[in-house]
Amino acid sequence: MFSFKKKEKSDEDLTVPKHIGIIMDGNGRWAKKRMQPRIFGHKAGMEALQAVTIAAKEMGVQVLTVYAFSTENWTRPEKEVSFIMNLPVEFYDRYVPELHRNNVKIQMIGDTKRLPKSTFEALEKAEELTRLNTGLILNFALNYGGRAEINQAVQKLAQDVLDAKVQPADITEEMIGDYLYTSSLPASLRDPDLVIRTSGELRLSNFLPWQTAYSELYFTDILWPDFDENALKDAIVEYNRRNRRFGGV
Ligand code: FPP
């Protein structure tokens, strides 16, 4: 069990979000503050992710979707892109064994077929190793873009209409959900209850636009490598202050 600093509700009363999305921002600025190259920040970011994943699992979070690389991130300097693309390889060797021991199941979403082969294979190996785990799902959004996700869903759905598998009038929101990348998650867990963005930026940057329609948004100035278990608890305490009405009263 964990204890919260702010005691408005006792620990037992707190609702833990089932699905948390995290926009892990601020690695570059964190490194710059330390006069280090940006890649130093990404390495520290991976360390933070490991700690936060295990903390989230202990709190009872069921899905953690982390924005690790967007379709827009390819415009970064080539050296930085190739460093980030190599992180999953290091992640598999250094971090996956501990996650596996913690019953964490690793999955990925995005246009992952277009990742470098070694990046894709490292994550595929992680998925395969942890496939039967029943604990928290750590869902990597890699080469992910929300509009691209909707675009590919519309293409597939249009094809199914052409093939007479679907009638346009029968299309429902639930059905659309089945064409999105997040269909790889259990149906009741596809939409984040809470989205956290670090480093003080106040936008969603093409992160899960369909799935975040009713998500609570939490922004913090903390730079991602400094985000830890206590910061996660603060976000959950704040989440508990919100009154989620889903359009009702
Ligand atoms: C944003 O910070 C961060 C990223 C684009 C990369 C995030 C990746 C990780 C934390 C590691 C993920 C781990 C695996 C295994 C893939 P930024 O570079 O935009 O920071 P800045 O806004 O300060 O420049």
Side-chain angles (χ1 to χ4, degrees), residues 7 15 87 177 231:
K7 289 277 181 190
T15 304
L87 286 177

Side-chain angles (χ1 to χ4, degrees), residues 24-30 38 42 45-46 49 67-69 73 76 80 84 87-88 91 140 142 199 201 224:
M24 307 180 290
D25 200 4
N27 293 350
R29 277 163 283 166
W30 186 90
R38 295 175 55 80
H42 296 316
M46 194 158 73
L49 176 59
Y67 208 5
F69 195 84
N73 287 150
R76 293 182 176 220
E80 183 177 346
I84 296 176
L87 286 177
F91 170 74
F140 280 97
L142 261 176
S199 92
E201 307 290 350
W224 173 250

Side-chain angles (χ1 to χ4, degrees), residues 37 48 89 92-93 97 104 123 134 211 233 239-240:
V89 177
Y92 185 80
D93 293 335
V104 170
L123 281 157
T134 53
Q211 299 87 339
K233 287 173 190 167
Y239 172 79
N240 275 262

Side-chain angles (χ1 to χ4, degrees), residues 88-106:
V89 177
E90 192 182 338
F91 170 74
Y92 185 80
D93 293 335
R94 269 190 67 189
Y95 297 99
V96 170
E98 187 188 17
L99 295 178
H100 188 36
R101 284 198 299 279
N102 277 276
N103 199 22
V104 170
K105 181 173 178 169
I106 294 160

